[in-house]
Each structure stands twice: as C-alpha cells, then as structure tokens.
Amino acid sequence: MVGAKWYNDDGTSAIGSDPAWKQLLTWQKELVDWYGYANLEKFRRSLGDEWGSAHPFFKGKVAMIVDGEWRNAMIANDSKAKSLDYGTAPLPVADDKPDLYGSGFTAGTVIGVPKGAKNPQHAWELIKHLTTDTDSLVTLSNALRNVPTTKAAMESPRLAADANFKTFLDIFAHPKTSTLPASVNSVFNQDSLSTFLVTWEKGAVKDLDAGLKGVDKRINDKLKLSGG
C-alpha cells in the first residue's frame, strides 16, 4: 500500500528507517482513533469465525474485507453465502504512490522432499510435475481456486477465471506485486512488528520513531543470534 521495505541490502531490518512504515502506521492510527480503539475491540469480539459460515462478510456485518483469492471459492461453496452479491478489487494505495495500484502481496506454498525420504528421485519428479506442469497447475487451481504460480498456467484457456477471480490473477502478474523476502527469522520478524502494532493501536506508544527503531533492534539482535 505504501511500498515499505522490510530489509536493508545487508539483511538488517528497515522498519525503523524506511519512512513508508511511519506513513502507513500514522494513517492507520488516525483511522483507529476515529472509530475508537475500545469500540473496534468490542466489534471484533462480536464477529464470527473467519473460516466458517459465520464469517462477518457473509453475514453483512462488514462491508469490505482484505482477503485472498480463496475467499471466492468459500463464498461459492457456502450454502448461505453463495448468493452474495460482491466484487473484488486491488487494495487502495497511498495517494503519493499511484504506481502501486493494482499490485499486492503474494506468498506461496512450500513443497519439498524430507531428508531421508525412501525415493527422493521419484519425489522430485512429482514435485516438478506439480509445480511446473501447466495442465497440473491449472487443474489444481480450478479445484482449489488458488492462483497458479506460473505464467503459462495463468494464461491457459482452461483456467477458470471469472471476474472476481481475475482480479487476483492481475494482481499476481503486476510488476510491483511483492512478498516478504526470505529470512531464517521471517516468523519472528513478522511477530515483532505485529506485537508493536497492537501497542501502537492501543495508544500505548508515545514516540513512533523510537518504537519502530525498537522493532529494528529486536529483529537485528535475533539476526545476530542466528548467525546472520
């Protein structure tokens, strides 16, 4: 949404030095304050399960959600939600970064051969087929309603791509779409920022710059301990 960087070129955290993070968090806090943190928490506790029929979007409790392409299939497969009239669109972006519009965040599914596997060559052949064969990828996408991960599969005429699903294909193909760069401490790094975000939303952080630099320190200290 703002083009923020997670890491510097040397692998250290850029959260405290990239002004885009401060831009995003300042906007977010203004929105939280407008509603009132306590009001938002009370509303959140009233919402149903994200993965069931009581999803707040299905129930009309929220007008918009930030979600992945799989939500289309979940709506279609839910007997009470499949008649829902809805549309999909890319995330809004900062006014000063219009070139980011149409892009988004992407991640993938990890697949590998476990150490000590009986038939590693056969396993590798299966992995190669599941991850690079166009027909296989299209079949999986049509069944699971996930975006396929090769350009050839995305351009296949066999790919089921209604308007709501096509939004996600376009986002995936956008040159500015990004992901979290791989790191031995990826989960820790995201948790460190998430923990800080909660305290920031509550209003318990008085100095945003100092708080973000504190996130950097936690991430960088962990990196050193990990041999980075």
Side-chain angles (χ1 to χ4, degrees), residues 158-182:
R158 286 186 54 240
L159 185 65
D162 59 79
N164 284 334
F165 188 73
K166 189 176 183 301
T167 298
F168 295 92
L169 297 176
D170 293 342
I171 290 171
F172 188 72
H174 196 285
K176 298 262 184 187
T177 285
S178 61
T179 189
L180 183 67

Side-chain angles (χ1 to χ4, degrees), residues 87-117:
T88 60
L91 281 169
V93 298
D95 290 342
D96 60 344
K97 296 183 177 70
D99 58 310
L100 292 176
Y101 186 72
S103 67
F105 175 83
T106 187
T109 304
V110 175
I111 186 169
V113 181
K115 186 177 180 180

